[in-house]
Amino acid sequence: ASFAASRTPVTGAFHRNAPRRRHIRPIRHISCAYGESQKDGTWVEKSQNAFGKLINVAKGQKEIVQAGTPCLRDIALEVPLSDIDSAKIQELVQEMLTICRGRGVGLAATQIGVPCRIFVMMDNEEGMSDVSPDALRERDRTPFHEKVVINPVVTPMSNLSAAFFEGCLSVQGYRGLVRRYLEVRVTGFGGDGNKVDFVAKGWQARIAQHEMDHLNGVLYVDRMDTRTFRRLDKINEPMPPKHPEFGDAPREGVCAADDKNEKGKTTAGVAGVADVEGFLGKGKKLGKRRTSGRSPFE
């Protein structure tokens, strides 16, 4: 019998013994991310990501660039959402986490020469082992699991701020007193492309602001009280005294929102709230983006 004979003359439907059409399900996008992100930015690496680690070991780690390298002064480029689970971005995140685990509490992509708006941050008890309990309390520093934030936005939650010494992997061997917000909201995307939205307080908030600065071409030395700049081995030396030109002696700790001296300057000469708002996009506007002239994915 012919193919036509297998159809009924009334409805044209196939008989039971006629070939059936296969139901084709729509293709679902399968994430290739090396881990999963939680709402608070916490990154949970997949146990089967051994292959990604081997790739990074084979390639070798990128060097952390030092002050004076042009890419540290460029404004990083946003990562297209469709590229987040690409091998290039996943390997970059993996490498940043590996470097940060061994060397610090935060790292921006620009610090390894990649102009992408990505930073990672973490803090653990081992890294706090050389800090006194009193200093930890004063800085509101507590452990938190590693976080990955892509295309971050950092917004202050209040005008409360504090001044403490900061260092940087890209300005090795030095410290300076920097004033930062005590509480900020961080939004963006995790390493798997899911949205993240959390409030960082205390030392975690300081880390987020420091890394956000990097993505906008700013180093902590641009915001510090320059009179406090010192080598790491001089960190416990006394603060400089009151000065007729620069005002009151610098001091560490929480600052009042309207903390001014008799000359109207913020105490310790550190960057005030209005200055910090500039890089957060709340006050002064960022100038035209200057980039290295190439795509972050090249």
Side-chain angles (χ1 to χ4, degrees):
S2 67
F3 177 75
S6 65
R7 305 174 72 93
T8 61
V10 178
T11 63
F14 289 109
H15 290 300
R16 285 182 301 173
N17 60 351
R20 295 185 180 181
R21 294 181 181 179
R22 295 179 62 186
H23 177 66
I24 300 175
R25 295 181 179 178
I27 298 174
R28 293 175 57 191
H29 174 71
I30 300 175
S31 174
C32 298
Y34 291 179
E36 296 178 352
S37 60
Q38 299 177 4
K39 188 71 172 179
D40 67 351
T42 296
W43 180 248
V44 181
E45 195 172 88
K46 291 179 180 177
S47 58
Q48 64 267 35
N49 188 34
F51 183 67
K53 291 181 180 179
L54 287 174
I55 291 176
N56 280 328
V57 170
K59 290 192 308 180
Q61 284 187 4
K62 291 183 175 65
E63 292 292 327
I64 296 177
V65 300
Q66 295 301 302
T69 308
C71 64
L72 288 175
R73 294 305 187 178
D74 290 340
I75 297 176
L77 303 173
E78 287 195 350
V79 178
L81 298 186
S82 59
D83 290 340
I84 289 179
D85 68 351
S86 67
K88 192 157 288 190
I89 294 300
Q90 291 301 307
E91 289 171 16
L92 172 61
V93 168
Q94 177 82 47
E95 185 169 15
M96 290 174 65
L97 288 167
T98 301
I99 294 172
C100 193
R101 286 169 190 147
R103 303 192 58 182
V105 295
L107 186 74
T110 51
Q111 290 182 272
I112 54 174
V114 182
C116 293
R117 297 188 77 79
I118 304 174
F119 70 68
V120 301
M121 52 191 285
M122 63 188 74
D123 206 0
N124 55 42
E125 293 181 353
E126 183 181 353
M128 304 175 190
S129 59
D130 59 347
V131 183
S132 71
D134 288 342
L136 291 174
R137 281 192 295 271
E138 186 180 20
R139 289 158 177 74
D140 192 10
R141 184 175 177 182
T142 55
F144 63 91
H145 195 66
E146 56 197 34
K147 298 177 184 288
V148 175
V149 189
I150 299 176
N151 298 340
V153 175
V154 178
T155 309
M157 299 296 287
S158 75
N159 283 341
L160 294 177
S161 61
F164 289 108
F165 277 99
E166 282 186 23
C168 181
L169 294 174
S170 293
V171 190
Q172 291 185 11
Y174 291 89
R175 296 290 186 271
L177 197 69
V178 183
R179 185 174 179 178
R180 302 280 190 187
Y181 285 113
L182 285 173
E183 187 174 357
V184 297
R185 180 184 179 189
V186 181
T187 59
F189 298 89
D192 58 356
N194 287 326
K195 290 183 178 180
V196 299
D197 187 343
F198 63 95
V199 173
K201 300 179 180 180
W203 204 252
Q204 185 181 137
R206 178 171 293 269
I207 297 170
Q209 291 167 85
H210 180 110
E211 302 310 328
M212 189 69 185
D213 263 353
H214 275 302
L215 300 183
N216 288 327
V218 177
L219 298 177
Y220 83 88
V221 295
D222 301 324
R223 301 194 183 280
M224 71 179 180
D225 180 336
T226 54
R227 292 196 297 153
T228 67
F229 190 55
R230 58 189 64 193
R231 287 191 338 194
L232 181 57
D233 60 342
K234 305 293 184 183
I235 192 68
N236 293 320
E237 294 296 320
M239 292 285 196
K242 182 176 180 178
H243 191 278
E245 181 178 351
F246 299 110
D248 293 339
R251 66 173 184 266
E252 285 190 277
V254 176
C255 309
D258 57 350
D259 206 354
K260 306 281 184 179
N261 61 19
E262 66 272 11
K263 293 192 175 184
K265 294 182 179 179
T266 55
T267 57
V270 294
V273 168
D275 298 313
V276 180
E277 285 175 350
F279 86 88
L280 294 177
K282 198 180 169 199
K284 304 171 188 174
K285 292 184 178 179
L286 289 168
K288 185 178 180 181
R289 288 190 173 185
R290 182 172 67 87
T291 70
S292 57
R294 61 186 178 88
S295 166
F297 310 108
E298 291 177 354

